[in-house]
Amino acid sequence: MATELEYESVLCVKPDVSVYRIPPRASNRGYRASDWKLDQPDWTGRLRITSKGKIAYIKLEDKVSGELFAQAPVEQYPGIAVETVTDSSRYFVIRIQDGTGRSAFIGIGFTDRGDAFDFNVSLQDHFKWVKQETEISKESQEMDNRPKLDLGFKEGQTIKLSIGNITTKKGGASKPRATGTGGLSLLPPPPGGKITIPPPSSVAISNHVTPPPIPKANHGGSDADILLDLDSPAPVTTSAPVPVSASSDLWGDFSTASSSVPNQAPQPSNWVQF
């Protein structure tokens, strides 16, 4: 069935070939084209090489009608079906066969050496391909005969995967901690994600003027008590701020300020008077 499905392909066609009757081989030294009547060919026509499967066929056909004159099946090359002569590269000896199984050896020759070269190369390429196909089929059979590996899981078989440093807990997978540059971990944001702004100070300072410290009342203390009072921090008073004059001079006139309070007793101070 496989032979019937194979198709016939044409390997080479040469329009001019001569056929000669050759004498029987006298010894094992090979055929010689000089023993033939080269100037009197027995038949001339067209040569066509075809292949069907692994077998090549050399067909001698009529130039006009294409009628088959003789056919030589070739199962191996070089081999007994096609032989070269010892004294020329343009002549060959082929073994023709008919449908009844009879065979005979005849000589063929080409006028052009290029045609003889193409005839030789066509047969070589075909059987090179046959050799490659045979090797491939053998390898495929060896692969089929080898025991196949069973990579499936057996019943009850389990595997364990280790992916990095991720570990699972009862509550689920632990989240990776975000890291900054240098591999240092970042602190989490405060609850609520808001930044609390401290309230402004309850003590208002008018015009950015720092009031001088108020010394304690002198109850008969000495100068040492005054120095101790300077070392201690001044108490913060919550008295209402003194209204500032609407004058263009923020500091005001020192003489005017002192005259506005005539009954105020002078108080000891560490400020230097101008």
Side-chain angles (χ1 to χ4, degrees):
M1 186 66 180
T3 306
E4 296 179 358
L5 296 176
E6 292 177 348
Y7 60 91
E8 185 180 37
S9 60
V10 179
L11 304 179
C12 179
V13 177
K14 293 303 173 183
D16 191 6
V17 65
S18 300
V19 177
Y20 304 92
R21 290 181 181 179
I22 60 175
R25 186 186 311 191
S27 62
N28 294 330
R29 63 187 178 94
Y31 293 98
R32 291 175 58 89
S34 59
D35 297 337
W36 308 344
K37 298 177 181 180
L38 299 180
D39 56 344
Q40 297 177 2
D42 296 293
W43 183 86
T44 58
R46 178 181 68 186
L47 180 141
R48 191 160 61 100
I49 302 176
T50 62
S51 66
K52 189 174 183 180
K54 297 181 180 181
I55 302 176
Y57 297 90
I58 301 174
K59 297 181 178 182
L60 302 175
E61 301 172 344
D62 186 78
K63 290 182 180 180
V64 180
S65 63
E67 183 182 358
L68 181 65
F69 173 74
Q71 176 177 278
V74 183
E75 298 179 357
Q76 184 180 359
Y77 182 78
I80 192 174
V82 181
E83 298 181 44
T84 59
V85 298
T86 58
D87 57 348
S88 177
S89 61
R90 296 187 292 117
Y91 297 92
F92 302 86
V93 176
I94 64 174
R95 183 185 64 182
I96 60 175
Q97 292 180 349
D98 59 4
T100 61
R102 295 181 302 175
S103 62
F105 290 93
I106 62 175
I108 61 173
F110 301 94
T111 305
D112 189 0
R113 292 185 183 275
D115 293 343
F117 176 80
D118 295 340
F119 171 81
N120 190 19
V121 170
S122 299
L123 292 174
Q124 289 179 354
D125 291 344
H126 171 71
F127 287 98
K128 186 184 295 183
W129 170 81
V130 171
K131 183 179 179 181
Q132 292 177 354
E133 288 293 321
T134 304
E135 292 177 355
I136 292 173
S137 62
K138 288 182 179 179
E139 291 179 359
S140 61
Q141 289 180 356
E142 291 177 358
M143 293 294 293
D144 294 338
N145 295 331
R146 292 178 182 176
K148 296 182 180 180
L149 296 176
D150 186 9
L151 301 179
F153 286 102
K154 303 298 186 295
E155 185 177 358
Q157 183 179 3
T158 59
I159 61 174
K160 183 178 181 181
L161 299 178
S162 177
I163 305 175
N165 297 326
I166 300 177
T167 57
T168 58
K169 297 180 180 179
K170 293 183 179 179
S174 61
K175 298 182 179 180
R177 180 178 297 178
T179 58
T181 58
L184 299 178
S185 59
L186 301 178
L187 296 177
K194 296 182 180 180
I195 300 175
T196 305
I197 301 176
S201 177
S202 60
V203 179
I205 301 175
S206 176
N207 294 332
H208 304 282
V209 178
T210 303
I214 300 175
K216 293 181 179 180
N218 189 5
H219 300 285
S222 62
D223 294 335
D225 295 333
I226 296 175
L227 294 177
L228 292 175
D229 291 337
L230 291 175
D231 293 337
S232 62
V236 179
T237 59
T238 58
S239 61
V242 180
V244 182
S245 175
S247 174
S248 61
D249 189 3
L250 296 177
W251 290 95
D253 193 354
F254 286 101
S255 60
T256 307
S258 60
S259 61
S260 62
V261 188
N263 298 327
Q264 186 177 0
Q267 297 179 358
S269 176
N270 295 328
W271 292 78
V272 178
Q273 294 184 357
F274 293 96

